[in-house]
Amino acid sequence: MSFSSAQNTFVAGKYTEAKNLLITYLDRFPQGAFVPTSYYYLGECYFVEKDYDNALTNYQTATEYDNTLYAENAKIQLGKIFFYNEDYRSAANIYEDLAKNTEYDYVAHNSEEQLMRCYKALNEYDKTLSISTAIYNRTTTPQEIKDE
C-alpha cells in the first residue's frame, strides 16, 4: 500500500475507500513523508461525510506540522467546522491568525471574508464594518462577496 494509491483514490472522490487506505498508510508509516498530507486528506474525507468530529481531529493533527502545504488549509477547514458548530469565537481566532500570518493573498482574503461572517455572528458590528469595508475596497473581491 502506497501513499500515491491513497491519494489517487481520494482525488477520484472515493472517500470511504480513501479513508481506509490513508489509515492503513498511517499505521504502516507513522513517520512517513506523507503523514501531514494524510491527516489533511482524512479530515477532508470526514468533512465531505459531514462527520465533523473526526474531521476536526484530523485537521488539528495536520496543523501540528506547521511547515507543510496543508497546515493552512487544515486551519481554514477547522474554522469552517467551528463556524458550523456556532463556535464563532474559535472560528474568528483561527481566521484572525491566518489573515495576519499567511504569506498567501488568497488565504488572507478568504480568512478576512470568513472573519466578516464571524464578527457579524458575534454581534461585533464595529469589527464587521471595518473588515467589510476593507473587503469591499479590494479590487480583487468578487461581486457576490461585495453584495454580501
Side-chain angles (χ1 to χ4, degrees):
M1 201 320 281
S2 69
F3 173 77
S4 63
S5 125
Q7 184 177 38
N8 290 338
T9 304
F10 172 83
V11 170
K14 300 175 184 175
Y15 299 113
T16 301
E17 186 179 343
K19 273 191 318 193
N20 293 331
L21 293 171
L22 290 162
I23 290 167
T24 299
Y25 172 81
L26 289 167
D27 286 344
R28 292 172 105 187
F29 305 101
Q31 304 300 317
F34 301 105
V35 167
T37 308
S38 295
Y39 281 113
Y40 176 76
Y41 283 166
L42 271 172
E44 289 288 275
C45 290
Y46 287 116
F47 189 87
V48 166
E49 296 173 344
K50 297 183 178 8
D51 181 350
Y52 299 130
D53 290 338
N54 280 315
L56 188 78
T57 299
N58 284 283
Y59 289 138
Q60 286 173 324
T61 303
T63 65
E64 293 171 11
Y65 301 87
D66 279 332
N67 59 347
T68 67
L69 172 67
Y70 293 99
E72 285 188 349
N73 289 333
K75 288 177 185 177
I76 289 168
Q77 294 299 86
L78 283 171
K80 286 180 185 178
I81 292 170
F82 287 131
F83 192 88
Y84 293 155
N85 290 332
E86 298 180 6
D87 184 354
Y88 304 120
R89 176 55 48 212
S90 293
N93 290 341
I94 287 171
Y95 292 129
E96 287 168 349
D97 177 61
L98 283 169
K100 289 177 189 170
N101 296 315
T102 186
E103 61 186 78
Y104 303 106
D105 286 343
Y106 79 93
V107 173
H109 292 172
N110 177 278
S111 296
E112 290 167 351
E113 291 160 12
Q114 297 302 330
L115 263 175
M116 174 182 67
R117 295 176 184 106
C118 291
Y119 291 153
K120 182 180 178 195
L122 290 165
N123 299 321
E124 295 180 7
Y125 299 117
D126 289 342
K127 289 181 178 182
T128 304
L129 180 59
S130 175
I131 201 156
S132 297
T133 302
I135 291 168
Y136 189 84
N137 289 331
R138 275 196 322 245
T139 58
T140 58
T141 300
Q143 189 60 46
E144 64 268 13
I145 299 295
K146 288 183 177 187
D147 291 345
E148 187 177 331

